[in-house]
Amino acid sequence: MTVQEALRHGTHLLAQAGSDEANLEAELLLAHTLDIDRVHLYQRLRDPLLPTPEQAYGSLLERRLAHEPTAYLMGHKEFYGLDFAVTPAALIPRPDTEVLVGLVTAFARDRFRNEPFLLIDVGVGCGAIAVAVAHELPQAQIIATDVSPEALALAQRNAHRHGLDQRIRLLPGQLLEPLSAHPEPNPGYRRASSRRADIIAANLPYVPTAVWERLPPEIREHEPREALDGGPDGLRLIERLLRQAPGYLKAGGALFVEIGDQQGESAGRLAREAFPAARIEVKPDLSGLDRVLCIRPQ
């Protein structure tokens, strides 16, 4: 079997299984098997596929056909132009969250210029938000929290991978509660205590339980439910965060929370209850759907 024949075979199997991106997934899995990128894959189409990589590729296809996500099979995923290690300990980073990172970085550049600022990343997962912001803004100091020790270990791995572990401090616990348990300042940050942030960012579970139960098996059976299922209305943890946040966010700062595409009105109502004098907006994603709740206390 040549590389080209293997690619066609994988594409056919994945298409039969209902993949909307069968060719792309087959390319990614085969390139991963051969430890090359997709450009070099197409340069080797006529090469024979040796028995060992052929067996490894077949194994990956079997796992993908059993609904295991391609990103977990490969062990990494690109987000905001950076490569992240991913495991079932945390959600696979998605383009929707890039909207939040873009809003955070734009606000920080406008508000702080080159001055240091403190960002609290609530529910850090694999570290996508924290690492992307730290990479984009060298003056950023970040504290990130998560209830999952496995997710925190993965986030630490990604921070180290990009040389940012000295600016990202990881704390175990629920929402903003770890900041009260660990009140000492973040290393290198001297403008305020670590209990008051200039920016809070969060990508918490926001999928309503009934919707989670209907998600594709790639998501429902493999990605951590606790990072997706937000309770009956999807806003259980987001409401808790909004109630906590006034005690941790400085005046003149901002809070950015990723939400579901139909949650703008209800999330905005909760935000007004927690921050009655704040400027509150719901920013859309590239499809024009609700995506990020933005709160700026006056």
Side-chain angles (χ1 to χ4, degrees):
M1 180 181 290
T2 65
V3 169
Q4 185 173 41
E5 289 169 340
L7 181 58
R8 287 175 178 167
H9 175 67
T11 299
H12 176 71
L13 289 177
L14 293 169
Q16 278 193 321
S19 172
D20 294 330
E21 298 181 315
N23 189 65
L24 174 60
E25 290 191 278
E27 288 176 2
L28 291 170
L29 294 176
L30 186 52
H32 175 70
T33 300
L34 297 171
D35 195 25
I36 57 177
D37 58 31
R38 290 165 63 203
V39 172
H40 287 92
L41 178 69
Y42 275 89
Q43 293 174 350
R44 294 180 53 180
L45 289 178
R46 296 183 180 179
D47 292 356
L49 188 63
L50 299 177
T52 298
E54 182 178 348
Q55 184 178 8
Y57 179 54
S59 176
L60 289 178
L61 286 173
E62 287 180 6
R63 292 168 63 188
R64 181 66 192 97
L65 292 170
H67 304 296
E68 194 168 344
T70 299
Y72 287 159
L73 294 175
M74 297 172 59
H76 64 95
K77 175 74 172 181
E78 182 179 314
F79 176 84
Y80 220 76
L82 301 171
D83 192 56
F84 285 82
V86 293
T87 74
L91 288 183
I92 299 166
R94 290 167 166 79
D96 288 340
T97 307
E98 294 188 352
V99 177
L100 183 149
V101 172
L103 290 168
V104 169
T105 55
F107 172 79
R109 287 192 176 105
D110 180 66
R111 173 71 173 80
F112 304 110
R113 306 293 178 178
N114 294 319
E115 292 296 314
F117 68 92
L118 177 63
L119 165 72
I120 300 175
D121 178 9
V122 183
V124 67
C126 74
I129 294 172
V131 170
V133 172
H135 182 268
E136 289 291 309
L137 302 173
Q139 73 273 34
Q141 294 291 327
I142 297 171
I143 296 175
T145 71
D146 206 292
V147 294
S148 166
E150 294 81 11
L152 288 170
L154 181 60
Q156 178 64 41
R157 178 179 166 191
N158 281 314
H160 181 74
R161 182 177 195 156
H162 294 285
L164 298 168
D165 40 344
Q166 295 302 308
R167 291 197 285 123
I168 299 175
R169 182 174 177 225
L170 298 161
L171 298 179
Q174 182 77 263
L175 302 176
L176 293 167
E177 294 164 7
L179 278 82
S180 297
H182 305 271
E184 65 271 16
N186 198 31
Y189 184 74
R190 296 293 179 265
R191 288 182 63 238
S193 85
S194 64
R195 292 190 71 253
R196 286 279 179 172
D198 298 295
I199 302 173
I200 297 174
N203 180 14
L204 296 169
Y206 56 75
V207 179
T209 301
V211 175
W212 178 87
E213 291 171 347
R214 300 193 302 269
L215 288 175
E218 283 83 355
I219 300 174
R220 193 181 65 255
E221 296 175 6
H222 294 278
E223 296 194 66
R225 178 173 181 172
E226 60 271 19
L228 288 163
D229 186 351
D233 64 355
L235 296 171
R236 179 180 55 200
L237 283 180
I238 290 175
E239 181 176 7
R240 286 183 58 189
L241 172 65
L242 292 174
R243 290 176 178 174
Q244 291 179 6
Y248 293 89
L249 185 63
K250 293 172 61 178
L255 171 62
F256 299 88
V257 183
E258 185 171 331
I259 59 174
D261 58 16
Q262 298 180 39
Q263 292 176 334
E265 183 177 349
S266 52
R269 183 172 60 252
L270 294 173
R272 284 187 289 275
E273 292 174 2
F275 293 89
R279 176 183 173 185
I280 297 169
E281 298 177 279
V282 175
K283 297 291 188 179
D285 57 23
L286 296 178
S287 299
L289 302 173
D290 295 348
R291 188 53 59 198
V292 180
L293 176 68
C294 306
I295 303 170
R296 294 185 61 177
Q298 304 299 315

